[in-house]
Amino acid sequence: TSDRTEWWRQDRFGMFIHFGAYSNLEGEYTRQDGTVCQDAEWIMRQCDIPKDAYEKQAATFDPSGFDAKKVVKAAKDAGQRYIVITSKHHDGYAMWPTKVNKWNLRDHSSFDKRRDIMRELKKEADKAGIKLGFYYSIWDWHDPDFADPATFPKYKKRMYAQLKELVGEYDPALLWFDGEWDAENPTNRWSPKDGAELERYVKGLKPSLLVNNRVGKRRVADGDFGTPEQEIPGQPVDGQPWESCMTLNGHWGFARYDHEWKSAAELTRNLLSTASRSGNYLLNIGPDKKGRVPDESVRRLRAMGDWLRAN
Ligand code: JFZ
């Protein structure tokens, strides 16, 4: 119903954060033959990185420069009222110390074992009155049980266990699912029934949780809000609340070669036209391999906030 989305519709403007083991490559993978392949959070797939090579690079991931205070301040300065961070992207790498497997920032990295960036972010967000949500990819390139129909139920169990950890440990306000599509990908067999089950499950863990429509098949009946991507629809999506997510440059994850930053004026126009059509705007940052937010991003977010405060 519309009541459960009320805080979120009033907040209007959020920060998306794409951060994971792919960030450690900063968008560039050098193959054995010396050629360089470029992509961001899809780099493992797009550049055909062998699993062991990807695991090897992830073992050196050390985002010691991640500063939750700075991230929350950047959001606050921009006028953003909630944050959605990737807890697990398609590469399956968990950004919190999950007990479900070792493929995570605590157990498979060079990062300080005492730190938990999700906990740090939750603490700073709480202090600033900013809500925290998690992106979670249903699609998983790393878990061998995902791709095989015979073992998919085993994968599903682990996914449910991870979501229980996330909700129990960090009390998120929102879960942003992704990776439910199957058109061009026969190994992804997520069904409407799977979606309905998952939605029921997470809302059973925390009834007030907001969930996007990618939990199921992006029908109006799926989740609490629609998720047009990189576009601002002219019409409401069948009366369903909606949120448009966008990048600041041309990538979600950090790409050191991408200098095509959108201007603060364009971004502000996007925010305003989204808001004028009763939509939410989720604007993305991609921290670098050290976990630092690029200056180009911070400056644009601040310029947007300055404009909002002045007008
Ligand atoms: C997905 C991810 O694959 C991508 O890496 C990023 O996290 C983004 C926010 O979500 O990409 C999509 C999802 C949906 C569409 C396109 C890309 N879509 O509906 O056109």
Side-chain angles (χ1 to χ4, degrees), residues 19-30 36-45 47 49-50 53-58 60-61 91 253-257 287-290:
F19 191 41
Y22 44 85
S23 311
N24 192 41
L25 292 172
E26 299 198 326
E28 288 183 334
Y29 177 65
T30 308
V36 176
C37 179
Q38 296 181 321
D39 204 358
E41 77 283 356
W42 274 71
I43 195 163
M44 176 178 164
R45 252 310 143 103
C47 299
I49 305 179
Y54 193 80
E55 285 178 349
K56 208 168 153 205
Q57 72 80 17
T60 70
F61 188 28
D91 67 359
F254 186 86
R256 66 162 86 95
Y257 55 89
D288 68 11
K289 68 192 224 175
K290 282 285 156 203

Side-chain angles (χ1 to χ4, degrees), residues 16 18 41-42 89-90 135 176 178 181 214 218 229 245 252:
F16 213 176
H18 274 69
E41 77 283 356
W42 274 71
H89 206 267
H90 308 330
Y135 167 110
W176 211 104
D178 194 22
W181 61 82
R214 298 183 194 193
R218 302 187 199 188
E229 184 181 280
C245 54
W252 299 100

Side-chain angles (χ1 to χ4, degrees), residues 12-18 78 80 82-84 230 243-249 252 262-264 267-268 270-271 280-286 297 300-301 304:
R12 276 288 169 247
F13 186 22
M15 173 185 271
F16 213 176
I17 306 178
H18 274 69
Q80 294 169 317
Y82 61 102
I83 294 176
V84 179
Q230 304 273 34
E243 173 188 72
S244 176
C245 54
M246 272 189 210
T247 51
L248 276 170
N249 55 6
W252 299 100
K262 292 166 190 164
S263 71
L267 295 162
T268 305
N270 287 340
L271 169 62
N280 277 33
Y281 194 48
L282 189 65
L283 191 54
N284 181 73
I285 59 166
S297 303
R300 280 161 181 78
L301 291 175
M304 291 178 79

